[in-house]
């Protein structure tokens, strides 16, 4: 894939401005719009910009042409503006089968004037229940922002505009499953979930505003490509050994202190017998 580095982005937050590099692949070459009956569209000849739409009949989505066992998946997204209640816009990794692995970015829409909820989760062997949710520090409908999942043998890191917001570590030493043996594809979708997505289903989708449209650009995956029952990649890639140092962990703490709105690790009503072991 051909790569190019984006411009330096300034953030009026606690941290010094930093550059976020976006490596642009091609939607024409790298993905398949696998559902939506024409509601997903590549918008340019170079394959840099793709739109997904949702109406009352159907949503839409795409998947990567290749599977990966570990990798770094990155894209820029601009979400549905206005009244997006009941809609879910996604970017995630997922394997096949009934005991699948999955790593989620899900953006839960809201009524006009209220913020999106960024829902993150990790599934291992078909079991999720590891949700952390955030309200972002910007309006994700006004411009494009970069969302990235880094998945290596030791950890999964979720980043937004280069700022890590969550780390899920490999805790197999204490009996916690970690995604390590099932190759995953990259997926994105826009679909309707008005029964739960916005205020637990209290706010329904206003279909008079349809079609709802979200945009994706500068898609890229660097990873260990799975083929013929095995994966191959350059193990010295930065993402393969990436971990969060003190500065990275401070950014996670900042994001979680200021913008986290739900953390399964602190939900005592849900886990009255004590929080899951991975939280400790």
């Amino acid at each position: 894939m051909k790569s190019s580095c984006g411009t330096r982005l300034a953030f009026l937050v606690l941290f010094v401005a930093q550059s976020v590099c976006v490596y642009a692949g091609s939607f024409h070459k790298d993905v398949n719009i696998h559902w939506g009956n024409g509601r997903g569209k590549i918008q340019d000849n170079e394959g840099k910009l793709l739109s997904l739409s949702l109406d009352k009949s159907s949503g839409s989505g795409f998947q990567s042409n290749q599977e990966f066992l570990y990798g770094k998946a990155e894209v820029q997204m601009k979400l549905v503006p206005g009244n997006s209640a009941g809609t879910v816009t996604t970017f995630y990794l997922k394997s096949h089968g009934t005991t699948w692995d999955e790593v989620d970015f899900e953006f839960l829409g809201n009524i006009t004037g209220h913020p999106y909820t960024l829902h993150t989760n990790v599934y291992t062997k078909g079991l999720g229940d590891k949700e952390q949710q955030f309200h972002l520090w910007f309006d994700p409908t006004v411009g494009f922002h970069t969302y990235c999942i880094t998945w290596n043998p030791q950890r999964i890191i979720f980043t937004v505009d280069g700022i890590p917001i969550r780390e899920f570590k490999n805790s197999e030493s204490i009996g916690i499953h970690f995604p390590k043996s099932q190759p995953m594809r990259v997926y994105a979708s826009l679909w309707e979930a008005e029964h739960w997505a916005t205020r637990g289903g209290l706010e329904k989708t206003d279909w008079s505003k349809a079609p709802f449209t979200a945009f994706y650009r500068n898609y890229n995956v660097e990873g260990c490509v799975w083929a013929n029952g095995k994966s191959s990649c350059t193990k010295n890639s930065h993402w393969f050994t990436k971990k969060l140092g003190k500065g990275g962990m401070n950014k996670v703490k900042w994001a979680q202190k200021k913008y986290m709105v739900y953390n399964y690790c602190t939900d005592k009503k849900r886990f009255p017998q004590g929080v899951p072991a991975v939280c400790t």
Side-chain angles (χ1 to χ4, degrees), residues 15-244:
F15 311 110
V16 192
Q18 59 182 301
S19 63
V20 177
C21 294
V22 177
Y23 303 89
S26 169
F27 286 117
H28 287 301
K29 296 186 300 182
D30 299 332
V31 309
N32 170 38
I33 300 174
H34 66 298
W35 69 284
N37 195 25
R39 292 173 179 82
K41 298 178 181 178
I42 299 174
Q43 298 287 336
D44 62 322
N45 291 333
E46 292 185 343
K48 304 298 185 188
L49 180 67
L50 183 150
S51 64
L52 296 178
S53 292
L54 163 69
D55 58 36
K56 203 166 186 178
S57 297
S58 178
S60 53
F62 68 81
Q63 66 179 26
S64 63
N65 291 329
Q66 295 175 313
E67 292 180 295
F68 304 88
L69 187 62
Y70 305 125
K72 175 184 175 183
E74 185 174 67
V75 76
Q76 291 186 319
M77 299 169 61
K78 183 166 70 170
L79 304 184
V80 176
N83 188 348
S84 58
T87 70
V88 181
T89 310
T90 72
F91 183 65
Y92 63 103
L93 314 178
K94 188 179 181 183
S95 65
H96 298 292
T98 57
T99 56
W100 73 97
D101 295 335
E102 183 175 341
V103 183
D104 292 336
F105 272 127
E106 295 185 322
F107 300 85
L108 313 183
N110 213 332
I111 58 175
T112 302
H114 291 262
Y116 267 82
T117 297
L118 170 54
H119 177 97
T120 68
N121 203 355
V122 177
Y123 285 76
T124 54
K125 298 185 182 300
L127 299 175
D129 298 333
K130 306 176 191 70
E131 304 93 340
Q132 291 184 351
Q133 297 181 337
F134 301 81
H135 286 164
L136 296 166
W137 51 93
F138 53 83
D139 184 344
T141 72
V142 172
F144 284 91
H145 293 269
T146 304
Y147 305 95
C148 180
I149 297 169
T150 300
W151 168 40
N152 65 40
Q154 297 305 317
R155 58 191 42 83
I156 297 167
I157 302 170
F158 298 78
T159 62
V160 176
D161 283 340
I163 295 175
I165 63 169
R166 178 178 185 179
E167 179 184 41
F168 182 80
K169 291 184 178 181
N170 185 333
S171 300
E172 289 183 303
S173 62
I174 59 172
I176 307 300
H177 294 303
F178 185 83
K180 68 172 187 178
S181 59
Q182 300 189 79
M184 295 195 270
R185 292 188 189 274
V186 183
Y187 292 88
S189 60
L190 174 56
W191 51 288
E192 175 270 322
E194 67 175 10
H195 60 289
W196 67 269
T198 308
R199 295 183 61 213
L202 294 177
E203 301 290 349
K204 303 301 184 182
T205 304
D206 182 356
W207 292 110
S208 71
K209 307 298 184 185
F212 304 99
T213 303
F215 292 91
Y216 297 75
R217 75 178 185 188
N218 291 333
Y219 167 90
N220 184 69
V221 180
E222 303 172 64
C224 304
V225 176
W226 182 267
N228 301 317
K230 60 182 181 180
S231 66
S232 60
C233 65
T234 304
K235 298 290 195 302
N236 61 1
S237 298
H238 176 258
W239 62 264
F240 194 84
T241 56
K242 183 177 176 64
K243 59 183 178 180
L244 297 178

